[in-house]
Amino acid sequence: QVQLVESGGGLVQAGGSLRLSCAASGSIISINTMGWYRQAPGKQRELVARLTSGGVPKYADSVTGRFTISRDNAKNTAYLQMNTLKPEDTGVYYCNFDYVWDGQSWRDYWGQGTQVTVSS
């Protein structure tokens, strides 16, 4: 059974930085796309950033130039470096790994979420 464990959330002042990590455990052969989503109170979950196995990133317009997604395939881990944080970045951040191949099937997985709070 594959599990995603997130870490790195917390409380930070506007203008500060945080680095999120998402590590996958279990039987994994390959992971296509690693991504980060967030959900603010009363709002729908939205894509923040994602990175394909080929190294092609995609960012939400609101975070372009401030956030950087990266991955360590040897560790099955995704990272999200968040700089110049704004109060509107507040929310629960979820990692998502899609098309995870375990040798028998392709599946998508979500992390449990980590809270990011940016104070003004």
Side-chain angles (χ1 to χ4, degrees):
Q1 181 71 18
V2 174
Q3 290 187 325
L4 305 187
V5 178
E6 301 165 1
S7 60
L11 173 64
V12 65
Q13 288 188 331
S17 298
L18 285 174
R19 188 189 192 213
L20 305 183
S21 298
C22 177
S25 62
S27 178
I28 298 172
I29 295 176
S30 64
I31 302 169
N32 186 357
T33 301
M34 296 181 180
W36 291 93
Y37 293 73
R38 68 185 178 193
Q39 188 166 18
K43 295 187 177 181
Q44 290 187 335
R45 190 174 299 187
E46 63 176 357
L47 173 69
V48 176
R50 65 183 185 210
L51 182 62
T52 68
S53 57
V56 177
K58 177 179 175 63
Y59 295 97
D61 291 342
S62 60
V63 307
T64 297
R66 299 187 297 122
F67 291 12
T68 302
I69 187 171
S70 60
R71 59 190 285 170
D72 185 333
N73 293 323
K75 297 181 179 180
N76 292 326
T77 300
Y79 304 96
L80 185 68
Q81 178 66 43
M82 305 185 292
N83 298 328
T84 320
L85 283 160
K86 304 176 181 179
E88 50 263 45
D89 293 319
T90 294
V92 179
Y93 283 67
Y94 300 89
C95 62
N96 169 255
F97 289 0
D98 70 6
Y99 289 103
V100 178
W101 175 245
D102 63 7
Q104 293 184 329
S105 61
W106 296 95
R107 294 187 180 180
D108 295 352
Y109 294 93
W110 287 89
Q112 80 284 0
T114 185
Q115 177 70 44
V116 172
T117 303
V118 184
S119 63
S120 58

